[in-house]
Amino acid sequence: MVLSQDSIVYFDRHGVGDGPYIVQKGKINIESGFAYSPYFGIESAYVPGILSRFQLTPKSELRLMYNYSPQSLNFMIDSYYNDYTHGSVGFKRNLARTPKRFADIAMIANVYYPLRELGNFEMNNIRSDVYLVFEHNHPNGSYINYSVGYIYGGESLKDMLQWSFAGNLVVRKFLIFAEYFGYYNIYNSYEDAEFGFDAGIIYEFNG
């Protein structure tokens, strides 16, 4: 679900990959949703994550999120069993707006911390990630976006790599998307690599 004052192509949280665009001046994006799975050792619904986005400059935005987590199963299971709900502070910087045949590019960086540990602050509980996100738009309303990123998952998960590739089609007020993504823990074996696929439809309620 998205409460937005932006174009539909500015949504960031419909899948693993984010978009490269900045929220317009004087406007706010509030984006929310939750995940549920009876498998992989996760047996209850998560509290919905809430992402708020505010423009700082014409090329940058501030990103505040409650219940932030990369969509890695290893990361989510680690948070689930440690009873961690993360709060995050993030930043997005547009790096390039290019002609249509090239990609628009942005960098996103987030720092997050388990909220229940704020009263007993430890540097080891700080987690962070940084991504490069790309998007190619086509005049017919379709576009592709892809990303690569690095995640520091704390003492338990260490260093992780992330990638995603998504195809998107805008039809009036609907966004239809399909995405392939993966995560890889640098210090563990190939068996811990994660590969996933998601697809869905977003509807914009604004007039």
Side-chain angles (χ1 to χ4, degrees):
M1 179 181 68
V2 179
L3 302 178
S4 172
Q5 295 173 305
D6 273 337
S7 164
I8 195 166
V9 298
Y10 287 5
F11 294 171
D12 262 5
R13 302 305 296 179
H14 64 269
V16 173
D18 290 336
Y21 303 112
I22 303 300
V23 174
Q24 297 174 4
K25 183 178 180 179
K27 297 186 178 181
I28 300 172
N29 265 33
I30 301 174
E31 309 177 21
S32 180
F34 72 94
Y36 171 78
S37 174
Y39 308 107
F40 311 111
I42 302 174
E43 299 176 351
S44 63
Y46 285 101
V47 175
I50 302 174
L51 169 65
S52 300
R53 302 166 55 201
F54 314 84
Q55 186 186 112
L56 296 176
T57 73
K59 290 189 176 183
S60 65
E61 70 179 32
L62 175 67
R63 302 158 65 84
L64 304 176
M65 190 163 184
Y66 172 76
N67 198 23
Y68 176 78
S69 173
Q71 300 305 299
S72 157
L73 284 172
N74 285 328
F75 194 103
M76 289 189 289
I77 290 171
D78 182 74
S79 297
Y80 178 79
Y81 282 109
N82 285 292
D83 193 25
Y84 283 166
T85 297
H86 292 94
S88 78
V89 177
F91 175 80
K92 181 195 282 189
R93 176 71 162 83
N94 182 268
L95 301 178
R97 296 295 300 271
T98 62
K100 292 186 181 299
R101 64 182 180 276
F102 298 109
D104 294 334
I105 307 170
M107 180 191 74
I108 299 174
N110 301 290
V111 176
Y112 35 108
Y113 194 86
L115 296 175
R116 73 179 181 89
E117 299 294 333
L118 285 175
N120 185 29
F121 183 83
E122 294 184 12
M123 292 294 293
N124 289 339
N125 286 328
I126 295 177
R127 300 181 175 189
S128 60
D129 54 46
V130 60
Y131 302 94
L132 284 175
V133 296
F134 306 82
E135 185 168 305
H136 294 266
N137 290 289
H138 191 277
N140 67 3
S142 64
Y143 62 96
I144 61 173
N145 60 284
Y146 49 96
S147 67
V148 292
Y150 163 81
I151 302 167
Y152 175 69
E155 288 298 310
S156 56
L157 296 175
K158 301 292 186 181
D159 302 291
M160 304 170 66
L161 301 178
Q162 175 268 332
W163 63 92
S164 68
F165 182 90
N168 309 267
L169 179 63
V170 178
V171 181
R172 296 186 178 180
K173 301 179 74 171
F174 290 92
L175 169 63
I176 304 167
F177 71 91
E179 180 179 51
Y180 176 76
F181 61 91
Y183 294 89
Y184 180 71
N185 192 309
I186 297 173
Y187 293 109
N188 289 334
S189 68
Y190 182 78
E191 293 180 355
D192 286 331
E194 302 175 41
F195 303 94
F197 174 83
D198 61 11
I201 299 175
I202 294 175
Y203 179 76
E204 183 180 27
F205 287 97
N206 290 0

